[in-house]
Amino acid sequence: PYSIPLKYSSMIGRSVLRTAFKGVHRQCRTFASVAPPKLFSYDEIKANVKEKHAIESVEAAFGMLAKGKVDVPIPMHIGIDESPEAGPGDCHIKGGYVYGTKTWTVKLANVSFYKNVEKGLPPGSGIFVVIDATNGFPLAIFQENRYLTDLRTGAAGAVSVKHFAAPHHNKVCFLGTGMIAGAMARASSEVHKWTDAYCYGLDTKMTESFCKEMEADLGFKFHVCESAEEAVSSADVVFTQTPGSKQVLEMGWLKPHATIIASGTDQPTKNEIPADVMANSKMVCDLVRQCKLVGELRTAIKEGTMKEEDVYAEIGDVVNGSKPGREGDELIVVDLTGTGAQDAAIGQVAVDVLVHGKAL
């Protein structure tokens, strides 16, 4: 057989190495030429991404989630205990990928930094990192300061109203009158005709300001209530979005046909809705495996009034038509813990609108 003389073998080896090195060097230059992610400010995001963009995409994401077509891990929570150097505050990290879409998203939300108010700062912040699903490179970083989080939460509320409130249920209640309440009011008004809103919050001036702003923006009457009972008993649909430090309503306050859309509980330490209310309702979750760990459902299971199998459906089951939504005058509770599917959906919307300039 043909063989290379020994004196030439080291020369050939060096030549092969040089050729290989040139190839790797060219490859590295190609890697270095990938464009960095685009950075978008809070003002840019708020001016361009709206409720109408979010609702359809979040509804579709719920449908895919119920089909098992979303890779969504259980959220990560980092607690920042108060010390002389830091806190108090919380960090929530969520994300997900919806099958067949062109991006996936990781969201970091910093909340409950209440001492920020003393410093003239908002009590939280947040960023979305949206990645190209075809190659794994970041496309955009959205400095959204929880605007996109609130938008997708409001969209989940709107989807819940669409499927679980009857058309003639036109009186709504808001327990808690902060940013999420505003997101719920605006988004739900895109899909439902309200005539009156009954509002209660611990800070009366904040509630008055909320009612004045929402009434001017949405064009129906907002009432400041003196108690949670007054607000709840006046409404067909009840939104709860408090810090979740204590339960906010009672069974006896509710209309028999009420729809409760609860979004304040997203940690094991929180609970807004009494277990007996959940046990006597058609219970719906955004994601059962998440709600049983950090949502309202966790309390009902812990107190023994419900089992996981007692949950009627996930929102996506109803979106997909696998199960009916409202069927009559039944009491319905919708447990919204916030899923990575929603973050992936609104991340794709933000990219479409701000990166690609699509008119949705």
Side-chain angles (χ1 to χ4, degrees):
Y2 180 77
S3 62
I4 300 173
L6 184 61
K7 66 178 181 178
Y8 296 122
S9 62
S10 61
M11 295 171 59
I12 294 172
R14 287 194 296 271
S15 176
V16 169
L17 285 172
R18 280 196 298 270
T19 302
F21 179 78
K22 288 179 181 177
V24 170
H25 187 60
R26 282 195 297 271
Q27 204 171 23
C28 288
R29 287 202 304 271
T30 302
F31 289 164
S33 68
V34 173
K38 295 182 179 180
L39 177 64
F40 293 94
S41 70
Y42 172 81
D43 289 338
E44 289 176 290
I45 299 163
K46 189 174 181 181
N48 291 281
V49 185
K50 302 295 182 181
E51 287 81 8
K52 63 181 180 180
H53 300 135
I55 295 169
E56 184 177 344
S57 64
V58 166
E59 183 174 30
F62 277 135
M64 294 294 279
L65 186 61
K67 291 178 180 179
K69 295 291 188 179
V70 183
D71 191 350
V72 53
I74 293 297
M76 180 190 297
H77 171 250
I78 302 172
I80 295 86
D81 293 334
E82 186 172 4
S83 70
E85 289 76 26
D90 294 285
C91 173
H92 302 267
I93 302 170
K94 296 179 180 178
Y97 173 66
V98 180
Y99 175 81
T101 56
K102 295 180 179 180
T103 67
W104 56 279
T105 294
V106 175
K107 185 270 297 289
L108 185 151
N110 300 315
V111 299
S112 304
F113 282 82
Y114 297 119
K115 286 196 171 182
N116 280 6
V117 177
E118 302 168 7
K119 308 168 189 174
L121 299 171
S125 68
I127 61 170
F128 273 58
V129 181
V130 182
I131 298 96
D132 189 328
T134 67
N135 58 29
F137 286 102
L139 280 173
I141 298 173
F142 298 95
Q143 183 71 45
E144 47 90 47
N145 289 341
R146 303 205 68 228
Y147 175 76
L148 291 178
T149 292
D150 292 345
L151 204 64
R152 62 80 152 147
T153 301
V159 173
S160 300
V161 169
K162 176 180 176 180
H163 292 283
F164 302 110
H168 63 279
H169 291 172
N170 53 24
K171 298 184 187 302
V172 64
C173 161
F174 296 98
L175 294 184
T177 54
M179 296 297 293
I180 295 177
M184 292 294 191
R186 289 188 173 93
S188 65
S189 296
E190 293 280 335
V191 300
H192 198 83
K193 178 68 174 178
W194 306 116
T195 60
D196 294 271
Y198 300 89
C199 309
Y200 176 75
L202 296 179
D203 186 328
T204 302
K205 288 185 177 180
M206 181 177 176
T207 301
E208 290 172 347
S209 177
F210 170 81
C211 288
K212 183 178 180 180
E213 179 184 352
M214 290 297 109
E215 188 170 313
D217 288 352
L218 301 177
F220 59 93
K221 185 66 178 176
F222 277 70
H223 308 269
V224 178
C225 296
E226 294 185 0
S227 68
E229 181 177 1
E230 179 190 350
V232 171
S233 63
S234 301
D236 304 302
V237 176
V238 178
F239 283 98
T240 66
Q241 50 277 316
T242 71
S245 56
K246 64 179 182 179
Q247 294 175 356
V248 297
L249 53 78
E250 297 178 13
M251 186 73 178
W253 302 354
L254 294 158
K255 293 183 184 295
H257 61 261
T259 303
I260 302 170
I261 301 170
S263 62
T265 296
D266 56 5
Q267 296 180 39
T269 56
K270 297 181 177 181
N271 173 224
E272 292 186 306
I273 311 303
D276 67 317
V277 172
M278 289 183 270
N280 287 283
S281 74
K282 177 187 280 186
M283 184 74 179
V284 179
C285 296
D286 53 9
L287 183 61
V288 171
R289 64 184 174 89
Q290 185 168 297
C291 291
K292 72 178 183 179
L293 296 177
V294 299
E296 299 297 341
L297 178 62
R298 182 196 64 82
T299 297
I301 292 174
K302 181 181 177 181
E303 294 187 9
T305 62
M306 288 186 68
K307 302 185 293 293
E308 183 178 341
E309 306 83 66
D310 294 327
V311 174
Y312 169 71
E314 291 186 343
I315 294 173
D317 294 321
V318 178
V319 168
N320 292 335
S322 303
K323 292 186 176 181
R326 176 166 290 280
E327 298 173 275
D329 290 332
E330 71 271 35
L331 174 65
I332 298 176
V333 174
V334 183
D335 189 1
L336 299 179
T337 53
T339 71
Q342 294 161 250
D343 295 316
I346 198 66
Q348 179 68 63
V349 167
V351 165
D352 286 342
V353 172
L354 288 167
V355 177
H356 302 312
K358 291 184 179 179
L360 300 182

